[in-house]
Amino acid sequence: MKYLVTGTAGFIGSFTAERLLERGDEVTGLDCINDYYDINLKFGRLKKAGIDPSRVEYGKPVKSSVHERYSFVKMNLEDRGGIEGLFKQEGFDMVCHLAAQAGVRYSITNPHAYIDANIVGFQNMLEGCRNFGIRHLVYASSSSVYGLNENYPFSTHDNVDHPISLYAATKKANELMAHTYSHLYGIPTTGLRFFTVYGPWGRPDMALFIFTKAILENRPIDVFNNGDMKRDFTYVDDIVTGVVKVLDKTPSGNQDWSGKAPDPSCSVSPYRIYNIGNNSPVRLMDFIDAIENAIGRKAVKNFMPMQPGDVPATWADVNDLVKDLGYKPGVDVREGVKRFVEWYKGYYKVD
């Protein structure tokens, strides 16, 4: 298969591209390499896959020196002409769309970035799939779509109509847009709601990275909502295994679906939504304890109130993932944190 994988200078995208390459698929990676966080980390991920950042020019594919079936192109998702040209030139079989403007709090101060990348950019992906015969579009949604929902564990069968950040609203919009294209044009689409992904090469704006860096530098950490939060932390390898399994399972319409009692997770059209989470929420203070144990040093904690756009808990119901794909994430958070800390110390050369 020939895949377009977007977001391959990013965290999940870089791992997904490498997993597909390892099993023999051909991959074109795409990323705009913006400066939302340190681009040197993005360059590091590209180098790991054999892409020389110094050779990257906008719109021009660069071949990997490590994987003969991998090339990378720098391009903005909202570049309508560029995206259309890429689809036309490359003849993809499948699209794994993991690129987006990420971050809940950043969406409060920089809303236009989310409309450009997550709405306009997603529309360009859908049009590429419609016009160039893509067999299956798998795209990243987010646990943030659950918003004010307090029905735990979060189920894809529940309505998610009350997001509390623009980031979450754009992800919910992506699901609605995908359903429209599945209904109108018969394009198989599957949305994946990721739950707090962490691990080596993770994003610097995420809690694990922030806490690890601060503790190693003997600086205090800000613990929001006075530590009274739970997160369904999911290790990146578990996420990628789920993504690849979903790519291989093209959805068909559910003929038992009824508009009189509509199930939001599926449709009479070839459309599906899954949660990918560890199904085991962890108290924030226990998560910090795992980091302290991995580092061998206690954190100085600065307790703070809840931040705008945050929710007190996340917890993934993964029953459909188990039923349809026979898969459930399972890396224990202490083991995952240990692997991250080991990577961090090695990458940043910290004792």
Side-chain angles (χ1 to χ4, degrees):
M1 288 289 182
K2 186 172 185 179
Y3 288 85
L4 170 63
V5 181
T6 67
T8 50
F11 179 29
I12 303 171
S14 62
F15 279 95
T16 301
E18 290 200 43
R19 184 77 65 87
L20 292 170
L21 290 163
E22 286 168 2
R23 72 176 196 174
D25 292 308
E26 183 178 353
V27 175
T28 296
L30 181 147
D31 203 292
C32 70
I33 320 180
N34 67 19
D35 61 358
Y36 168 63
Y37 59 79
D38 183 12
I39 63 170
N40 289 315
L41 183 58
K42 299 182 180 185
F43 288 161
R45 297 185 188 120
L46 291 175
K47 289 176 184 175
K48 184 163 65 83
I51 301 297
D52 182 354
S54 68
R55 295 179 55 221
V56 172
E57 296 181 47
Y58 190 90
K60 296 181 180 180
V62 176
K63 284 287 187 182
S64 168
S65 62
V66 175
H67 303 285
E68 63 179 1
R69 295 178 305 279
Y70 182 51
S71 61
F72 172 83
V73 60
K74 179 179 180 180
M75 189 175 290
N76 294 330
L77 294 174
E78 60 268 32
D79 182 347
R80 180 177 172 182
I83 296 294
E84 182 179 5
L86 188 66
F87 272 88
K88 185 174 182 179
Q89 177 181 323
E90 296 295 336
F92 303 116
D93 297 305
M94 306 271 224
V95 174
C96 183
H97 181 53
L98 303 174
Q101 178 56 60
V104 169
R105 283 166 289 282
Y106 190 73
S107 70
I108 295 171
T109 54
N110 297 272
H112 290 97
Y114 292 78
I115 300 302
D116 292 343
N118 299 4
I119 302 296
V120 177
F122 192 67
Q123 174 69 21
N124 289 336
M125 285 293 130
L126 288 169
E127 281 292 287
C129 293
R130 175 171 80 96
N131 292 321
F132 297 98
I134 299 302
R135 302 180 192 181
H136 188 192
L137 165 64
V138 173
Y139 60 95
S141 185
S142 169
S143 62
S144 66
V145 301
Y146 288 101
L148 293 178
N149 186 350
E150 294 182 5
N151 185 24
Y152 301 115
F154 291 155
S155 171
T156 56
H157 302 285
D158 292 337
N159 283 310
V160 287
D161 293 333
H162 299 88
I164 58 173
S165 70
L166 184 63
Y167 169 70
T170 63
K171 289 298 186 177
K172 166 67 172 176
N174 288 170
E175 295 177 1
L176 297 174
M177 294 162 73
H179 181 266
T180 302
Y181 272 66
S182 293
H183 176 75
L184 290 174
Y185 309 115
I187 301 167
T189 67
T190 305
L192 301 177
R193 294 174 180 169
F194 297 146
F195 281 70
T196 317
V197 188
Y198 74 101
W201 296 95
R203 283 173 24 207
D205 62 323
M206 299 294 283
L208 177 55
F209 199 111
I210 293 169
F211 290 167
T212 298
K213 186 174 189 292
I215 295 169
L216 286 168
E217 294 175 357
N218 294 308
R219 292 185 291 105
I221 61 173
D222 290 337
V223 181
F224 292 99
N225 200 34
N226 296 305
D228 187 20
M229 295 205 287
K230 290 184 178 181
R231 288 291 180 270
D232 205 344
F233 295 101
T234 313
Y235 191 67
V236 63
D237 286 356
D238 281 345
I239 290 286
V240 172
T241 298
V243 169
V244 173
K245 284 182 176 292
V246 168
L247 280 165
D248 291 342
K249 184 177 176 60
T250 304
S252 55
N254 179 1
Q255 299 311 308
D256 294 327
W257 191 88
S258 170
K260 294 181 179 178
D263 180 351
S265 73
C266 59
S267 171
V268 71
S269 306
Y271 167 88
R272 201 68 172 87
I273 299 290
Y274 291 105
N275 288 331
I276 302 187
N278 209 43
N279 189 229
S280 181
V282 175
R283 291 177 60 250
L284 180 58
M285 297 307 294
D286 292 336
F287 187 64
I288 294 170
D289 182 63
I291 301 170
E292 292 172 331
N293 286 337
I295 293 174
R297 188 182 305 171
K298 286 291 183 182
V300 177
K301 302 173 187 71
N302 180 27
F303 290 97
M304 306 277 286
M306 180 82 88
Q307 295 185 101
D310 246 347
V311 296
T314 63
W315 180 4
D317 179 341
V318 296
N319 287 336
D320 287 344
L321 197 67
V322 174
K323 180 177 61 127
D324 294 350
L325 298 161
Y327 176 66
K328 181 180 179 180
V331 174
D332 180 76
V333 71
R334 289 187 175 270
E335 176 60 27
V337 165
K338 180 173 173 285
R339 294 178 194 174
F340 172 82
V341 170
E342 288 172 352
W343 166 81
Y344 184 96
K345 288 182 173 180
Y347 184 76
Y348 290 103
K349 298 178 173 57
V350 178
D351 293 329

